[in-house]
Amino acid sequence: MALVVQKYGGTSVGSVERIRNVANRIAKTFDAGNEVVVIVSAMSGETNRLVALAAEVTETPSEREYDVLVSTGEQVTIALLSMCLQSMGYNARSYLGSQIPMVTDKVHARARIKRIGDENIREDLENGTIVIVAGFQGTDGEGNITTLGRGGSDTSAVAVAAAMKADVCEIYTDVDGVYTTDPRMVPEARKIEKISYDEMLEMASLGAKVLQIRSVEFAKKYNVVIHVRSSFHDKPGTLVMKEDQDMETVLVSGVAYNKDEAKISIVGVPDQPGISAQIFTPLSDNDITVDMIIQNISHQGATDLTFTVPKGDCKKAVGIIEKVAEKIKARGVRSDTEISKVSIIGVGMRSHAGVASTMFEALSEEGINIQMISTSEIKVSCIVDAKYTELAVRVLHNAFGLDLPEIEEKF
Ligand code: ASP
Ligand code: MG
């Protein structure tokens, strides 16, 4: 007998009919002799609807009440799903985050899980009950509801799987698995059979939206095998797991892109100790995360500094930087929101030379100018003009042999 944790996302429970499908799948897993714990999201669109309602009432809702509101979507789905299973003759029981309990810190709207009580769940499982848990929500341990940030039910699922030492954590979604790149952009994209935690983390932070980043960090820390798969058919999806030797033989596993960054340059910055701190400290004090940074070689005691920030923070960042520029007597500040970051990712890069140059050549053959470059052990990212995003992703996908082989026509 295995302990299986399953998580169903918003689209998979988006209507009563779909909830019935989910119940059938759960029943099948249970009938096969497994213990089953299920984590569900709110019905698709519901959390957005709740967030919009709050925005109609006030621009600055208290974070405590925001969590009270947005956590209600999941309460609906756990109840409906449990009822559905009961009507099919199964024992099922729903749990809110506070009833498990899933204890988090006190940071509303982006709480972090501290502890999960597993006694209630274990007792139910021993009695042959299917356990249905509300994703996305927890309790601060003092009676307040907390939520884990948008997309947080992935993290709820992995955390429950880790706490229960489950054999597998299946994340059911509306795509077939993790793809080599966005299949809506590149039809030749392929489903990846297995991918390492580190590659998945890079893919997620670079724009692939299949899993919440924190859920992958959690899985890595506790060595939880995640199986990302479709709730609409039975074909296997993608395993997210510890790196193995096969993974290293692949040079590049995926190509990601992110259009959500903006570029800011400060020109004519005096080249003196302490200047970078003066520039970046006020940004971090304002909770603005800086991604790539490049500094040019100084010329006559001055240099240019360019960095990227989330697009939504660009205006605020420019405001802050203009003040700093005046203070440090820089020549000016420029910004550009029409950029995008394209990246290649793969643990195979660690042991192969020439990956970056293949990337640069592929981009140059299409006349795409590279504005900034950053590298890590398993990733190379380039900032390019936003209008070339799709072209860049396509040529890189092809250059690294990721395209689906063309099916030979047979007459
Ligand atoms: N319902 C929440 C959201 O839409 C959590 C989740 O679906 O993972 O962000
Ligand atoms: Mg999701």
Side-chain angles (χ1 to χ4, degrees):
M1 181 159 50
L3 172 55
V4 180
V5 169
Q6 300 186 331
K7 179 253 167 178
Y8 293 91
T11 341
S12 306
V13 293
S15 66
V16 168
E17 197 197 327
R18 286 191 173 169
I19 290 178
R20 255 191 216 114
N21 281 341
V22 164
N24 283 328
R25 190 179 286 273
I26 295 168
K28 224 162 84 185
T29 312
F30 182 82
D31 290 341
N34 300 299
E35 294 181 321
V36 192
V37 179
V38 180
I39 286 83
V40 281
S41 292
M43 294 167 90
S44 55
E46 179 60 12
T47 312
N48 287 343
R49 189 183 74 86
L50 296 166
V51 171
L53 279 179
E56 266 184 57
V57 175
T58 165
E59 259 178 41
T60 49
S62 103
E63 292 192 320
R64 181 184 186 278
E65 304 314 327
Y66 172 91
D67 280 350
V68 171
L69 177 70
V70 300
S71 60
T72 58
E74 276 73 11
Q75 182 162 347
V76 173
T77 41
I78 54 168
L80 290 175
L81 182 57
S82 303
M83 287 175 195
C84 197
L85 282 161
Q86 288 164 359
S87 73
M88 291 159 62
Y90 292 87
N91 290 330
R93 185 190 168 110
S94 69
Y95 279 92
L96 291 170
S98 57
Q99 294 171 322
I100 296 177
M102 161 98 59
V103 183
T104 70
D105 59 17
K106 297 181 194 318
V107 186
H108 285 290
R110 45 181 173 7
R112 281 181 172 268
I113 300 170
K114 282 179 18 191
R115 181 168 56 78
I116 296 178
D118 63 351
E119 279 171 34
N120 295 333
I121 300 182
R122 292 222 189 265
E123 207 181 303
D124 276 341
L125 293 177
E126 272 160 31
N127 296 332
T129 300
I130 299 170
V131 173
I132 313 288
V133 177
F136 182 48
Q137 55 174 269
T139 169
D140 68 355
E142 290 176 13
N144 300 301
I145 298 173
T146 52
T147 61
L148 309 179
R150 295 306 305 272
S153 45
D154 292 341
T155 302
S156 310
V158 175
V160 168
M164 304 285 303
K165 301 198 171 48
D167 295 280
V168 63
C169 178
E170 298 181 327
I171 305 247
Y172 286 93
T173 172
D174 52 357
V175 292
D176 296 344
V178 180
Y179 273 71
T180 47
T181 193
D182 183 352
R184 287 164 307 181
M185 186 176 271
V186 183
E188 291 83 6
R190 274 187 292 130
K191 188 178 75 193
I192 302 173
E193 240 170 79
K194 51 184 180 175
I195 186 169
S196 68
Y197 295 122
D198 288 328
E199 288 170 314
M200 193 63 223
L201 280 171
E202 290 288 3
M203 298 272 267
S205 63
L206 293 167
K209 294 204 174 62
V210 208
L211 291 174
Q212 198 200 32
I213 294 176
R214 210 183 280 170
S215 71
V216 186
E217 289 168 352
F218 225 102
K220 181 180 173 188
K221 190 163 165 198
Y222 295 99
N223 207 6
V224 175
V225 177
I226 302 179
H227 185 180
V228 185
R229 56 191 306 186
S230 167
S231 64
F232 301 119
H233 57 67
D234 284 329
K235 281 186 221 126
T238 302
L239 294 176
V240 185
M241 53 188 275
K242 222 160 90 185
E243 189 176 326
D244 66 18
Q245 278 174 341
D246 297 356
M247 294 179 186
E248 274 192 38
T249 60
V250 185
L251 214 53
V252 168
S253 316
V255 181
Y257 66 93
N258 184 352
K259 293 184 182 176
D260 284 334
E261 286 188 24
K263 186 177 79 170
I264 299 176
S265 302
I266 322 181
V267 289
V269 178
D271 196 6
Q272 290 157 10
I275 291 287
S276 289
Q278 284 194 59
I279 293 171
F280 293 111
T281 307
L283 292 175
S284 76
D285 287 347
N286 281 280
D287 255 345
I288 298 176
T289 44
V290 173
D291 180 27
M292 287 173 149
I293 303 176
I294 49 170
Q295 181 181 334
N296 287 347
I297 294 184
S298 73
H299 185 72
Q300 294 175 340
T303 177
D304 299 338
L305 203 77
T306 304
F307 55 91
T308 61
V309 295
K311 215 179 246 183
D313 288 336
C314 183
K315 245 200 183 141
K316 190 167 151 198
V318 169
I320 293 167
I321 292 302
E322 274 172 346
K323 282 198 207 110
V324 177
E326 214 174 294
K327 213 163 69 195
I328 62 174
K329 301 199 168 54
R331 229 173 322 122
V333 178
R334 284 179 212 141
S335 66
D336 183 358
T337 52
E338 291 308 300
I339 58 154
S340 88
K341 182 166 71 175
V342 288
S343 312
I344 54 172
I345 298 141
V347 290
M349 271 180 218
R350 280 197 296 246
S351 43
H352 292 87
V355 176
S357 55
T358 305
M359 177 180 198
F360 304 151
E361 265 161 37
L363 294 175
S364 97
E365 265 167 37
E366 295 294 333
I368 300 172
N369 187 38
I370 301 170
Q371 304 177 11
M372 296 170 86
I373 300 167
S374 80
T375 63
S376 81
E377 253 198 324
I378 62 163
K379 170 199 81 175
V380 185
S381 298
C382 294
I383 296 288
V384 301
D385 191 326
K387 69 172 184 257
Y388 294 126
T389 313
E390 186 170 338
L391 180 61
V393 171
R394 279 173 186 282
V395 297
L396 293 174
H397 196 265
N398 184 276
F400 288 99
L402 296 174
D403 284 3
L404 263 182
E406 267 178 58
I407 296 165
E408 270 179 57
E409 269 187 88
K410 293 215 171 78
F411 294 98

